[in-house]
Amino acid sequence: MPQPNPFIAPSALPHGLPPFAEIAPEHFRPAFDAGFAEQLAEVAAISADPADPTVENTLLPLERSGQLLERVANVFYNKSSADNDDFVSELEEEIAPRMAAHSDAIRLDPALYARVAAIRAAIHTGLDTGATPLAPETRYLVERYFAELTLAGAGLGETEKHALRDYNRELSTLTTRFEKNLLADTNDLAVVIDDVAELDGLARDDISAAATAAAERGLDGKYLITLVLPTGHPYLSQLTRRDVRQRIMEASRSRGIRGGDHDTRALVLEITRIRAKRAALLGFDSHAAYVTADSTAQTPARVFEMLGRLAPPAARNARAEQAELAALAGHEIEAWDWAFYSEKVRAAKYDVDTGSMRPYFETERVLRDGIFFAAEKLYGVTFTERADLVGYHPEVRVFEVRGEDGSEIGLYLLDLYTRDSKRGGAWMNSLISQSRLLGHPTVVVNNLNVPKPAAGTPTLLTYDLVNTFFHEFGHALHGLFARVTYPMFAGTNVYRDFVEFPSQVNEMWMLWPEVLENFAVHYETGERMPQQLVEKLHASAAFNEGFATSEYLAAALLDQAWHAIGPDQAITDVAAFERDALANAGLDNPAVPTRYSTTYFAHTFSGGYAAAYYSYIWSEVLDADAVDWFTENGGLTRENGDRFRDRLLGVGGSKDPLEAYRDFRGRDAVIEPLLKRRGLN
């Protein structure tokens, strides 16, 4: 007798953890089919209700709708990014346009839009309807529904809606193909090394990881350097062989431009063309205007104003850094030289060698005695590993999160290592998001791409990977701590240009003395990282910021340029467009390549950051200002953690994020701390 589809009913496992051990490939399609049909029926009943619209008969059932679809979609899309295979890839191409059409069927429903508009009008005229008085979160729910439906095109005529549905369906297919092509080309371009001598400069565990990666592809006796998502690669700072560094950099920059099945250039041109046409249909000059209309930035002009203010001093600082590197190297600095010689200059100038820190950054200590330790000190939470709970991949670990009083908070899943089935980068996903309306718990996932060494060899992290770990855990805390009534506001469901703020703040605890002292312990000797080294790290904090800021701003401005084009602006040459955009920004230094070139810019062409990659530095204004507040108020204390949790993390998306920040800080953020941090003042 066939087993029932595990998606049909909520999981009976602790905290509602999806029953991964029971989920098979054949369960996904029928669960999607049933989920689509179920939610459409639920929404149709809301729209057809003859009673006057109220929050109780319209928005609450709308918030309750689609639970089956959410269960299967959250598991499926997490799998497509973290453990993809041919079946998942093919099904994703099939599901993407159906998901777009399903969303449009709801968002463009004229009867539903009319009901939401009527509820909003009643509130604005002082005629609140419904038996339950409208709390602030409920009033905000009404405003957000009206804004999002309007922006989605619910107020358009039927002819325009038909065109809009076509655009959304095409975009869902194209962006899915972009991600698929990029993953395939990234795997294909991994650099094969024949002789271990070519890896001179790499640490033992990195060499072990390269050998393991090669063996997994059947390349016994060789070494494989897999590519990371950004243009640069962590190994570029260590490898002494300049030709090997060049091979890695050139492989990285070749993604999507070699022709054949994995080329992404035609996809980029079609994606940006359709986005521009869709924006015009919705009444906007550009896709950037469409995106920023529902953000804290509000307009592309405000984004360009900030980025334009930062770009000239960043480029100037990068040129000064380049001259310093060239003087040490004795030759012109190419893109593949920068990381290698910057470490040498850092060592000479500040007596800091970040490579020498790796023995102090053993993964398990970083996790338990650093990341978890800081969270416990700040928020009183504890993390207990649940070996009895199964993740979606054998390498996934599951931790139960509880409050200081033993109360249940949720589950934290960690997927640490890189593999061919995982896309590049690091990120956080929510499998289940808390809401009081549904009684849902919280289950979140952190994904990183750490090279996996051979069995029995410790996993040592680079300085940058430790920072990334703290950053992504900040997203996880945001997802775990949000306590809201409505699913719309759950977890990290905030404006795109605010979502990076909590994660960036969490980075500060990596170097906080009490935290660093607790986890930065040499994996062989047991000695703690010398305080002198920590002090030198702080002294060199602004070192190489010209490069770091320039490569980031180049990507942010490139993203804006692609999405500033109008519907009638024909672009035919991707490379020429990128070259002109970077030149116009003054960020076309060949030695400082953009963090993401167009053809592998997953954030903007397959992720959720289209016209919004500026969000990182936009959020960093709040982050730098908040770090100053923590420093001024005693740092790692429960009082400070409780304030940050209650007034920012805990509210999720249930209030305007800048209002939440003012509630925490007592005023709006100022930009000066950011300028000081990045050496731009």
Side-chain angles (χ1 to χ4, degrees):
M1 181 176 179
Q3 295 297 313
N5 192 308
F7 291 114
I8 298 302
S11 170
L13 292 174
H15 304 275
L17 178 72
F20 293 112
E22 300 173 18
I23 296 171
E26 61 267 21
H27 293 136
F28 286 109
R29 185 179 282 104
F32 270 115
D33 291 342
F36 287 141
E38 179 181 272
Q39 188 171 29
L40 289 179
E42 291 166 338
V43 173
I46 298 168
S47 298
D49 190 338
D52 290 339
T54 65
V55 169
E56 285 77 11
N57 68 20
T58 301
L59 295 187
L60 297 193
L62 190 56
E63 284 288 275
R64 292 189 181 100
S65 72
Q67 294 184 50
L68 168 56
L69 182 58
E70 182 178 15
R71 284 196 294 274
V72 63
N74 286 351
V75 171
F76 179 76
Y77 286 114
N78 180 77
K79 183 173 178 61
S80 74
S81 61
D83 191 26
N84 209 325
D85 55 30
D86 289 343
F87 171 82
V88 171
S89 182
E90 291 172 9
L91 182 58
E92 187 173 14
E93 285 207 54
E94 173 193 327
I95 291 296
R98 293 184 62 194
M99 185 68 80
H102 177 78
S103 297
D104 282 344
I106 297 171
R107 297 184 302 174
L108 303 183
D109 181 338
L112 181 64
Y113 185 53
R115 294 182 72 86
V116 173
I119 296 169
R120 180 175 180 270
I123 292 173
H124 281 252
T125 56
L127 301 174
D128 292 3
T129 59
T132 305
L134 296 187
E137 185 179 347
T138 305
R139 285 175 174 264
Y140 194 57
L141 180 74
V142 175
E143 293 297 333
R144 289 305 303 153
Y145 259 111
F146 182 77
E148 291 190 11
L149 291 176
T150 301
L151 195 64
L156 295 176
E158 282 307 312
T159 301
E160 289 80 7
K161 284 182 180 178
H162 180 76
L164 180 61
R165 292 185 185 99
D166 286 343
Y167 289 151
N168 288 340
R169 183 177 62 253
E170 289 179 69
L171 284 170
S172 67
T173 299
L174 293 168
T175 54
T176 299
R177 287 178 183 167
F178 182 96
E179 182 173 10
K180 178 181 177 180
N181 286 9
L182 176 56
L183 177 60
D185 215 29
T186 299
N187 287 337
D188 192 45
L189 280 162
V191 178
V192 179
I193 302 294
D194 296 322
D195 186 350
V196 71
E198 296 179 78
L199 299 179
D200 181 59
L202 285 193
R204 282 182 303 169
D205 59 310
D206 285 334
I207 294 174
S208 172
T212 299
E216 287 176 351
R217 291 202 191 179
L219 300 171
D220 293 329
K222 297 182 185 295
Y223 304 86
L224 191 74
I225 298 178
T226 56
L227 302 180
V228 296
L229 191 58
T231 297
H233 193 288
Y235 292 173
L236 295 179
S237 65
Q238 306 167 50
L239 289 163
T240 61
R241 287 275 297 267
R242 195 180 188 208
D243 61 324
V244 177
R245 300 199 305 267
Q246 182 176 356
R247 284 180 63 195
I248 295 171
M249 176 62 74
E250 289 179 347
S252 178
R253 303 205 69 181
S254 295
R255 286 174 288 178
I257 62 172
R258 298 184 297 155
D261 293 341
H262 303 158
D263 198 293
T264 61
R265 287 172 293 187
L267 294 171
V268 165
L269 294 176
E270 190 66 2
I271 288 169
T272 50
R273 184 186 71 83
I274 295 176
R275 282 175 176 168
K277 285 184 173 294
R278 182 179 63 177
L281 182 66
L282 292 166
F284 294 93
D285 294 336
S286 66
H287 184 71
Y290 164 70
V291 168
T292 53
D294 198 39
S295 69
T296 67
Q298 299 181 324
T299 67
R302 292 189 66 197
V303 174
F304 274 113
E305 179 185 5
M306 179 188 180
L307 300 185
R309 175 181 177 181
L310 301 178
R316 180 194 63 226
N317 290 355
R319 287 192 296 272
E321 292 165 1
Q322 185 176 357
E324 196 170 18
L325 302 185
L328 177 65
H331 56 73
E332 289 297 315
I333 295 296
E334 303 286 354
W336 48 85
D337 296 320
W338 195 293
F340 182 77
Y341 285 104
S342 65
E343 285 305 308
K344 291 191 173 300
V345 170
R346 192 198 307 265
K349 197 169 184 177
Y350 299 99
D351 195 22
V352 173
D353 175 11
T354 57
S356 69
M357 299 178 187
R358 292 191 61 193
Y360 296 97
F361 295 153
E362 190 274 322
T363 300
E364 198 65 17
R365 291 211 64 138
V366 171
L367 175 66
R368 294 185 180 277
D369 298 336
I371 290 170
F372 288 171
F373 173 79
E376 182 177 357
K377 288 291 184 181
L378 272 173
Y379 308 114
V381 293
T382 58
F383 296 80
T384 304
E385 188 154 14
R386 293 288 302 268
D388 58 314
L389 297 180
V390 178
Y392 56 85
H393 186 277
E395 292 175 347
V396 174
R397 301 168 66 183
V398 181
F399 297 85
E400 188 170 50
V401 190
R402 291 185 177 271
E404 190 173 35
D405 59 357
S407 59
E408 295 182 345
I409 293 176
L411 295 178
Y412 169 71
L413 278 61
L414 176 62
D415 189 352
L416 187 70
Y417 294 109
T418 190
R419 51 183 174 266
D420 286 352
S421 62
K422 184 191 289 190
R423 67 174 169 86
W427 65 94
M428 170 265 191
N429 281 340
S430 292
L431 293 174
I432 306 176
S433 296
Q434 175 277 338
S435 72
R436 285 184 282 270
L437 183 70
L438 302 182
H440 277 181
T442 309
V443 180
V444 301
V445 184
N446 265 167
N447 261 283
L448 281 83
N449 267 282
V450 177
K452 186 177 183 180
T457 305
T459 301
L460 305 180
L461 302 180
T462 64
Y463 179 89
D464 286 342
L465 273 174
V466 176
N467 185 260
T468 297
F469 206 165
F470 272 83
H471 175 99
E472 294 304 331
F473 190 72
H475 284 305
L477 290 176
H478 197 181
L480 286 164
F481 288 161
R483 288 295 175 266
V484 299
T485 301
Y486 304 111
M488 173 180 267
F489 300 142
T492 58
N493 288 336
V494 297
Y495 287 133
R496 178 63 69 181
D497 58 6
F498 184 82
V499 74
E500 296 299 334
F501 159 61
S503 55
Q504 288 170 332
V505 169
N506 203 63
E507 293 174 25
M508 73 176 290
W509 306 117
M510 172 185 169
L511 294 182
W512 196 261
E514 185 179 355
V515 179
L516 188 68
E517 181 181 351
N518 200 58
F519 79 84
V521 177
H522 198 288
Y523 81 101
E524 289 180 317
T525 67
E527 296 177 355
R528 300 194 179 279
M529 183 181 288
Q531 183 59 32
Q532 279 184 310
L533 184 54
V534 178
E535 291 169 359
K536 291 170 184 175
L537 265 177
H538 286 293
S540 66
F543 174 74
N544 210 40
E545 277 298 331
F547 174 90
T549 306
S550 293
E551 62 139 14
Y552 165 77
L553 290 175
L557 285 162
L558 180 60
D559 172 43
Q560 288 295 305
W562 275 115
H563 295 108
I565 63 176
D568 300 321
Q569 187 175 348
I571 309 298
T572 58
D573 189 328
V574 171
F577 183 89
E578 176 173 316
R579 187 167 55 248
D580 291 346
L582 297 179
N584 291 337
L587 295 169
D588 54 343
N589 185 343
V592 188
T594 173
R595 183 177 295 179
Y596 301 104
S597 194
T598 300
T599 54
Y600 51 90
F601 204 162
H603 283 77
T604 194
F605 293 114
S606 61
Y609 284 82
Y613 191 65
Y614 75 89
S615 301
Y616 287 89
I617 205 157
W618 190 270
S619 296
E620 196 179 344
V621 174
L622 304 176
D623 156 39
D625 191 60
V627 167
D628 274 8
W629 181 90
F630 273 104
T631 303
E632 294 161 4
N633 287 276
L636 193 76
T637 69
R638 278 298 309 282
E639 183 180 1
N640 289 344
D642 287 346
R643 182 183 180 93
F644 192 65
R645 177 178 177 176
D646 293 343
R647 303 191 185 197
L648 276 168
L649 301 180
V651 303
S654 65
K655 66 192 301 184
D656 179 271
L658 296 185
E659 180 185 337
Y661 186 81
R662 283 190 291 271
D663 188 32
F664 163 73
R665 187 67 163 101
R667 59 163 173 77
D668 289 327
V670 295
I671 197 172
E672 284 72 20
L674 169 69
L675 298 178
K676 180 180 178 182
R677 172 190 287 184
R678 288 186 171 261
L680 302 175
N681 51 353

